[in-house]
């Protein structure tokens, strides 16, 4: 890792006026405040057909993996759909594996139109744990997003805006955390 950690924020929303994307840009502000560099990976810009393990290097899968591998830390952002994270995030994660996530620091952010998207965060935390990533304890849930974040990206609640920026700062702070020894999952989760 360089002296200036590089963080990628992955946006798992395809919506044009995505509150997830707006929230991730605030998290990247926190990354820069902490001395890191950051970039948004907008999954709308990638051609990622439904992952097929029998087909090597589908569409933009290689580029996605390379950008994640090059990062010192990752922030995963998702809207909540039916109590979990989006299929866009799931499909992108299916293209990835231990090479992209093992020992890497990951921050989590979930946005919901309704109440708190806590289950989406819990599900993502489980997936990251199975990939041997180190997920920072600080996570961000943005409930009732259309009322919390205006279309120009302004947060109506400064405390919530600060929580989002803190997420960015935490992934920089812990980007070089020493990874734990390999987990049980890493030795037994080689794919189907």
């Amino acid at each position: 890792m360089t002296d200036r950690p590089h963080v990628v924020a992955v946006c798992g929303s395809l919506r044009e006026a995505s509150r997830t994307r707006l929230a991730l840009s605030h998290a990247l502000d926190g990354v820069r405040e902490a001395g890191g560099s950051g970039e948004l990976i907008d999954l709308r810009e990638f051609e990622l057909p439904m992952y097929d393990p029998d087909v090597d290097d589908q569409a933009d899968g290689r580029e996605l993996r390379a950008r994640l591998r090059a990062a010192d830390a990752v922030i995963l952002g998702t809207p909540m759909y039916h109590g979990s994270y989006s299929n866009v995030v799931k499909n992108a994660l299916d293209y990835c594996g231990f090479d992209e996530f093992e020992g890497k620091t990951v921050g989590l952010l979930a946005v919901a139109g309704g109440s708190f998207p806590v289950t989406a965060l819990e599900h993502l935390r489980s997936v990251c744990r199975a990939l041997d990533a180190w997920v920072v304890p600080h996570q961000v849930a943005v409930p009732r997003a259309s009322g919390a974040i205006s279309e120009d990206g302004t947060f109506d609640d400064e405390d919530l805006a600060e929580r989002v920026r803190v997420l960015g700062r935490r992934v920089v702070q812990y980007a070089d955390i020493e990874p734990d020894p390999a987990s049980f999952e890493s030795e037994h989760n080689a794919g189907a």
Side-chain angles (χ1 to χ4, degrees):
M1 186 177 70
T2 65
D3 291 339
R4 186 172 186 211
H6 182 65
V7 178
V8 296
V10 179
C11 182
S13 172
L14 299 181
R15 187 179 295 265
E16 186 67 35
S18 168
R19 297 302 200 281
T20 303
R21 194 173 304 106
L22 294 171
L24 285 171
S25 68
H26 278 274
L28 289 172
D29 289 343
V31 166
R32 289 183 278 280
E33 289 169 9
S37 65
E39 73 174 297
L40 180 71
I41 293 181
D42 189 341
L43 293 175
R44 293 180 312 161
E45 298 170 1
F46 286 77
E47 183 185 340
L48 296 173
M50 186 64 68
Y51 178 70
D52 182 347
D54 290 330
V55 179
D56 290 333
D57 294 322
Q58 281 183 278
D60 293 333
R62 182 186 299 234
E63 179 187 349
L64 175 65
R65 288 190 305 274
R67 288 174 68 182
L68 286 167
R69 273 194 307 276
D72 297 304
V74 174
I75 300 173
L76 296 175
T78 185
M80 183 173 76
Y81 293 133
H82 306 300
S84 193
Y85 54 92
S86 73
N87 65 326
V88 176
V89 171
K90 171 65 172 140
N91 193 48
L93 290 172
D94 286 346
Y95 275 87
C96 301
F98 296 111
D99 290 343
E100 291 74 34
F101 283 95
E102 188 171 21
K104 192 161 289 187
T105 299
V106 176
L108 303 177
L109 179 144
V111 174
S115 61
F116 283 87
V118 174
T119 53
L121 293 166
E122 291 171 354
H123 296 168
L124 274 177
R125 187 173 294 276
S126 293
V127 170
C128 291
R129 186 172 45 244
L131 291 170
D132 276 340
W134 191 85
V135 184
V136 295
H138 181 85
Q139 62 186 16
V140 177
V142 180
R144 294 172 285 289
S146 63
I149 307 171
S150 65
E151 289 184 18
D152 69 357
T154 306
F155 276 82
D156 296 332
D157 179 347
E158 184 50 40
D159 289 339
L160 181 57
E162 178 60 15
R163 275 190 62 77
V164 173
R165 287 189 302 270
V166 166
L167 179 65
R169 293 195 299 263
R170 291 294 178 263
V171 295
V172 170
Q173 179 182 0
Y174 294 108
D176 63 352
I177 194 164
E178 184 176 326
D180 286 332
S183 71
F184 172 81
E185 291 93 343
S186 70
E187 296 175 12
H188 294 86
N189 191 16

